[in-house]
């Protein structure tokens, strides 16, 4: 069943310049947590030409105001914590020097792409639910959506099949 899920929801992209293969989800990894606020969390896998594998997490914060009465805010998140239903905790320190910032009249967006420890992230293999904490100027917490959680599980499981 998981193999079918991986086949249907995980794409592999080979970069001939670097010799790396990227395994990414086809599922939506964004979720709205407040009226104007959305977060994205996407686990993906990189296989280097020498066979070494590394997990990365692409994270996104979006504040879409959509009005003249509210300016979108910056979150300046610098840490993401994941907590499983079996109480396993893992903290990701965001490399703020490599974050992308997009600003427009009605939208502020922050995006980060960080390497995560393989052994630590594999501890989420048996999770049934994952709570996410974005920490920075504000603290936001939410449970991963169905698509976010399944995307996460499929990428973790794909590690075993490579």
């Amino acid at each position: 069943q998981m193999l079918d899920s991986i086949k249907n929801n995980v794409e592999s992209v080979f970069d001939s310049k670097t010799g790396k293969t990227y395994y990414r989800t086809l599922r939506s990894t964004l979720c709205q947590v407040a009226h104007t606020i959305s977060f994205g969390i996407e686990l993906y896998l990189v296989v280097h030409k020498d066979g070494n594998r590394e997990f990365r997490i692409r994270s996104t914060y979006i504040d879409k105001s959509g009005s003249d009465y509210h300016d979108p805010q910056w979150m300046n998140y610098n840490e993401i914590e994941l907590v499983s239903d079996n109480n396993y905790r893992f903290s990701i320190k965001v490399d703020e020097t490599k974050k992308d910032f997009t600003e427009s009249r009605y939208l502020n967006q922050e995006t980060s792409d960080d390497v995560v420890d393989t052994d630590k992230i594999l501890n989420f293999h048996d999770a049934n639910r994952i709570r996410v904490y974005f920490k920075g100027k504000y603290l936001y917490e939410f449970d991963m959506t169905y698509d976010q959680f399944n995307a996460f599980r499929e990428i973790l499981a794909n590690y075993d099949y490579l």
Side-chain angles (χ1 to χ4, degrees), residues 13 27 31 35 44-45 48-50 59 67-68 76 83 99-100 104-105 111 115 148 154 160-161:
V13 177
R27 295 178 183 268
C31 82
H35 180 62
Y44 69 99
L45 182 60
H48 298 267
K49 61 182 163 198
D50 63 5
S59 55
S67 82
D68 289 330
N76 295 313
V83 181
K99 263 173 77 175
D100 288 326
S104 68
R105 185 166 173 200
T111 307
V115 174
Q148 284 175 325
E154 289 156 0
D160 294 335
Y161 296 117

Side-chain angles (χ1 to χ4, degrees), residues 43-155:
L43 181 69
Y44 69 99
L45 182 60
V46 182
V47 179
H48 298 267
K49 61 182 163 198
D50 63 5
N52 283 340
R53 300 175 286 182
E54 73 177 1
F55 283 107
R56 298 186 69 90
I57 285 190
R58 182 174 293 113
S59 55
T60 307
Y61 158 82
I62 300 170
D63 185 353
K64 250 190 297 202
S65 78
S67 82
D68 289 330
Y69 305 107
H70 167 76
D71 285 334
Q73 301 296 304
W74 291 110
M75 161 111 190
N76 295 313
Y77 68 92
N78 54 18
E79 183 182 354
I80 299 165
E81 187 175 21
L82 305 175
V83 181
S84 69
D85 56 325
N86 47 11
N87 235 1
Y88 181 73
R89 295 179 170 274
F90 175 49
S91 213
I92 301 146
K93 299 288 184 214
V94 172
D95 185 347
E96 294 183 81
T97 63
K98 294 183 179 167
K99 263 173 77 175
D100 288 326
F101 293 88
T102 306
E103 182 175 22
S104 68
R105 185 166 173 200
Y106 295 118
L107 179 135
N108 282 3
Q109 178 173 320
E110 300 172 35
T111 307
S112 184
D113 190 333
D114 300 282
V115 174
V116 292
D117 183 286
T118 297
D119 292 334
K120 290 180 180 175
I121 206 72
L122 286 173
N123 283 323
F124 284 91
H125 198 274
D126 295 328
N128 294 305
R129 193 178 77 243
I130 299 175
R131 189 143 189 88
V132 182
Y133 297 83
F134 270 75
K135 301 174 179 182
K137 183 175 171 186
Y138 309 104
L139 169 66
Y140 280 96
E141 59 180 279
F142 58 93
D143 285 333
M144 281 188 179
T145 64
Y146 175 87
D147 276 343
Q148 284 175 325
F149 180 71
N150 282 300
F152 204 87
R153 283 188 52 195
E154 289 156 0
I155 295 295

